[in-house]
Amino acid sequence: MTDQPTHSPKPSDPQPTYRTDDSDNGGVSRGLLNVLLVFLESAITLILRFDPKLRQLAYPLAERGTVVCIRTYLPHVQFYATFGYRGVLLDDRLPNDKTTPDMTVNAYSFQLINAITTHKSSNVESLQIRGSHEDVHDFKAFLVQLGVGGVIQNLLGKVKGKPAPTPEQKAEKQENYKAKIAEIGRAVQ
């Protein structure tokens, strides 16, 4: 009998693996944090499923496989958000294939909650986000759309159907029709 394994040591599932260091995560227990992260991950996945604009904003981050380190204060908590084609994965550890995150978000817990719940760009701007300009821009746009206000607005739009056009949109549409009519009139002559 040989000492060689009879099965392939390479995993068949392309899911990211995570580091297993047992570093303390501040005042929140690791188990409680993981439960909260699973809940948040499920909520974000559900929102992504029903909000095409949010999916469009998440796509560039997923395409680059962006990893965001989110550090909150009061209580001190650190977790990672990994953008992928299957959604946003949240974990308390950095994925094994990364040595450092692509972006870091530092904020008090209430600032992060305000940024997610209010759907206001001013609250997202109050977060301290470090990373490449392109990543930061895409992530801020994602956070603004992720806000609870954006979710409610999207649901109301689906229930009501198409929203009534604004006067500016009506005027623009009328100008487009006039231009098309003039173009067709010139083509006929």
Side-chain angles (χ1 to χ4, degrees), residues 1-9:
M1 206 164 177
T2 64
D3 292 334
Q4 298 294 328
T6 57
H7 63 281
S8 172

Side-chain angles (χ1 to χ4, degrees), residues 23-93:
S23 60
D24 184 26
N25 207 351
V28 178
S29 74
R30 189 178 199 150
L32 177 61
L33 178 62
N34 283 332
V35 168
L36 288 172
L37 292 178
V38 166
F39 174 74
L40 285 172
E41 185 178 307
S42 299
I44 291 171
T45 300
L46 185 63
I47 294 168
L48 280 168
R49 182 178 199 117
F50 293 110
D51 190 346
K53 184 170 182 171
L54 188 63
R55 276 195 311 270
Q56 183 181 14
L57 292 170
Y59 184 77
L61 295 166
E63 199 171 41
R64 294 188 293 268
T66 305
V67 175
V68 182
C69 174
I70 301 171
R71 293 184 188 131
T72 64
Y73 308 107
L74 297 176
H76 170 70
V77 175
Q78 177 174 309
F79 60 95
Y80 298 89
T82 305
F83 286 83
Y85 292 110
R86 293 183 179 182
V88 180
L89 302 173
L90 301 176
D91 198 10
D92 62 345
R93 291 172 259 154

Side-chain angles (χ1 to χ4, degrees), residues 59-162:
Y59 184 77
L61 295 166
E63 199 171 41
R64 294 188 293 268
T66 305
V67 175
V68 182
C69 174
I70 301 171
R71 293 184 188 131
T72 64
Y73 308 107
L74 297 176
H76 170 70
V77 175
Q78 177 174 309
F79 60 95
Y80 298 89
T82 305
F83 286 83
Y85 292 110
R86 293 183 179 182
V88 180
L89 302 173
L90 301 176
D91 198 10
D92 62 345
R93 291 172 259 154
L94 186 65
N96 277 338
D97 62 339
K98 293 276 190 171
T99 56
T100 59
D102 300 307
M103 272 188 294
T104 303
V105 178
N106 293 310
Y108 287 101
S109 298
F110 71 89
Q111 287 176 310
L112 189 61
I113 291 168
N114 279 342
I116 292 173
T117 58
T118 59
H119 194 59
K120 292 183 181 176
S121 60
S122 61
N123 288 339
V124 173
E125 290 296 327
S126 71
L127 303 175
Q128 182 184 31
I129 303 176
R130 293 190 178 132
S132 73
H133 178 71
E134 186 178 16
D135 283 344
V136 170
H137 179 267
D138 291 343
F139 186 65
K140 284 181 178 180
F142 175 80
L143 283 179
V144 169
Q145 184 63 29
L146 179 65
V148 173
V151 173
I152 293 170
Q153 183 180 17
N154 186 27
L155 286 174
L156 288 176
K158 287 189 184 289
V159 170
K160 289 181 178 179
K162 280 190 169 182

